Amino acid sequence: MLYPFNSIFNWLNHEHVPTKLFTHREFSFTLQGDVYLRYHSFNTAEDLKKQVLTLNPTRFEIGPVYSAKPRDKKTVRPAAFTPQKRELVFDIDMTDYDGVRTCCSAAELCSRCWGFIAAAVKVLHASLVDQFGFRHLLWVYSGRRGIHLWISDPEAMDLTDDQRRVIVNALTVVEGGKEMVKKVNVRTANRALPPSLWGALDVLRTIFTPLVLKDQNCFGSQEGWETLLQLIPDPTIVETLRSEWAKYPTRSSVQKWEELKTQISKTKGSENTRLYGALEDVILQYTYPRLDAEVSKHRNHLLKAPFCVHPKTGRVCVPVDPSNIDLFDPREVPTVAQLLRELDIAGEGANWEKTSLKPYVEMLDRHTMGLMEEVRRTKRATAGGYNGIHCA
């Protein structure tokens, strides 16, 4: 058996003995032919396993913890069936970077454009840990062209939809559709960058040159450099560079960026400050995380479970170590065909422990150990507090 049901149970439940975090949790299943089944719930990992083996779904998704068991939804009053808890989740999809990446487009993903996802992980992880104090963050490759984040801290689980919306809005920097050229508008009235973005900008400055200028060469084509010039609020500089780059179109993005900075360095006073701010906004626009905000704002949103298989690529949705995100290559993720071959070689009775899935399951288990230890500490602290009062 390839799927790590016990590991998924422990991760969702935070304890070894079933609690409402699991028994009142919604699971949905997608069957062959795009048949979609919602509001399933289970008492144990074994119950979930039996249902998955019976239905043989193409994938299943995980939803919130409800006030009643989801399978009893039809027998309880609507007012008595409401989402109570849910991991704070984020979804970053590579298609949202089609306006800036040059190597791939649409559903395609390669190790080069994965650099944008890696940059997003670094910035978002640091922001959520340093600014919001979250500790239990699980990053999971989506199996095709993106990455999901599940935050399981008790404080995250208890967030209301309004509170989730506030966090998402605070983390949203790049906004606007294809028709909008300037997608970063976060500066204060005096044109200063909010302090919350200082750390992100420091990280992204180091990423911008190797990723955007060198690897992707985003300003190498006329379309690319015209987009850049539209983000510079100085007509004189824009016309000077447009004329120069038209004469020498083969100049690299690195050269164009340096020439732009040289032109800006010639300005003085408030104009100089404004233009250097525009350069920072360019860096943010090309490298800051692009969030699917609706995924994060609502507790009742469903998200594909870790270790499902993506039907288009055959790749497994595996956990990713954020500290080694630059080394992760989506093309090296185990596929279901590869894992089945490994099971055949291992022999009858073998499970995921005998396959290349093992290090990824162990990564989830280590993450879960931190959650369980926090539950134990909380229980000890609660019991100790009670005993202290009683003895007094």
Side-chain angles (χ1 to χ4, degrees), residues 97-131:
Y97 291 82
D98 280 353
V100 295
R101 61 175 172 160
T102 60
C103 52
C104 301
S105 63
E108 298 302 315
L109 176 70
C110 70
S111 58
R112 289 177 59 203
C113 54
W114 181 260
F116 289 104
I117 299 290
V121 169
K122 291 176 184 177
V123 167
L124 196 56
H125 193 93
S127 295
L128 289 163
V129 171
D130 298 339
Q131 295 181 37

Side-chain angles (χ1 to χ4, degrees), residues 36-48:
Y36 194 51
L37 306 177
R38 286 198 63 178
Y39 302 113
H40 286 251
S41 59
F42 308 96
N43 289 327
T44 65
E46 189 62 29
D47 290 342
L48 171 61

Side-chain angles (χ1 to χ4, degrees), residues 115-283:
F116 289 104
I117 299 290
V121 169
K122 291 176 184 177
V123 167
L124 196 56
H125 193 93
S127 295
L128 289 163
V129 171
D130 298 339
Q131 295 181 37
F132 294 94
F134 294 125
R135 303 169 300 283
H136 304 290
L137 290 75
L138 179 70
W139 291 93
V140 181
Y141 169 53
S142 70
R144 191 180 192 186
R145 59 176 184 247
I147 197 164
H148 300 155
L149 171 60
W150 303 70
I151 305 177
S152 301
D153 297 60
E155 300 87 351
M157 297 288 295
D158 289 336
L159 290 169
T160 65
D161 285 1
D162 285 342
Q163 290 169 330
R164 290 165 197 260
R165 191 174 296 109
V166 169
I167 291 175
V168 172
N169 289 343
L171 293 169
T172 299
V173 171
V174 181
E175 296 183 279
K178 294 180 180 178
E179 71 289 344
M180 188 179 296
V181 176
K182 184 170 173 54
K183 294 181 171 64
V184 173
N185 296 283
V186 293
R187 293 186 178 273
T188 60
N190 64 354
R191 297 176 182 166
L193 196 67
S196 59
L197 290 178
W198 293 352
L201 185 60
D202 286 342
V203 172
L204 296 176
R205 276 197 182 99
T206 66
I207 294 170
F208 183 76
T209 295
L211 176 62
V212 175
L213 301 183
K214 293 182 178 178
D215 186 35
Q216 294 288 323
N217 194 21
C218 288
F219 311 133
S221 68
Q222 182 174 359
E223 181 183 3
W225 82 59
E226 283 294 344
T227 300
L228 171 61
L229 292 177
Q230 290 180 65
L231 298 172
I232 306 304
D234 186 303
T236 302
I237 290 178
V238 168
E239 287 307 314
T240 298
L241 292 177
R242 177 177 286 128
S243 175
E244 184 73 9
W245 295 346
K247 290 179 185 176
Y248 306 99
T250 58
R251 285 179 178 169
S252 69
S253 293
V254 173
Q255 291 172 304
K256 291 186 176 80
W257 186 253
E258 289 303 317
E259 289 166 359
L260 173 57
K261 290 197 296 183
T262 297
Q263 290 292 327
I264 290 175
S265 69
K266 297 175 183 177
T267 62
K268 297 179 180 180
S270 61
E271 179 66 5
N272 182 269
T273 301
R274 181 169 76 112
L275 290 172
Y276 273 112
L279 288 185
E280 292 177 345
D281 289 352
V282 170
I283 293 172

Side-chain angles (χ1 to χ4, degrees), residues 3 8 11 28 30 36 58-63 86 89 91 140-146 148-150 295 301-313 315-318:
Y3 198 84
I8 291 293
W11 166 56
S28 71
T30 302
Y36 194 51
T58 56
R59 75 185 211 181
F60 67 90
E61 296 175 307
I62 299 170
R86 171 69 159 126
V89 296
D91 182 9
V140 181
Y141 169 53
S142 70
R144 191 180 192 186
R145 59 176 184 247
H148 300 155
L149 171 60
W150 303 70
V295 170
H301 189 88
L302 293 152
L303 194 61
K304 182 169 52 180
F307 295 103
C308 285
V309 176
H310 195 286
K312 295 285 179 63
T313 64
R315 296 187 189 122
V316 180
C317 305
V318 294

Side-chain angles (χ1 to χ4, degrees), residues 372-387:
M372 291 185 165
E373 178 57 33
E374 178 155 340
V375 170
R376 286 192 288 268
R377 284 198 303 268
T378 301
K379 286 185 174 182
R380 286 197 297 266
T382 302
Y386 174 78
N387 289 337

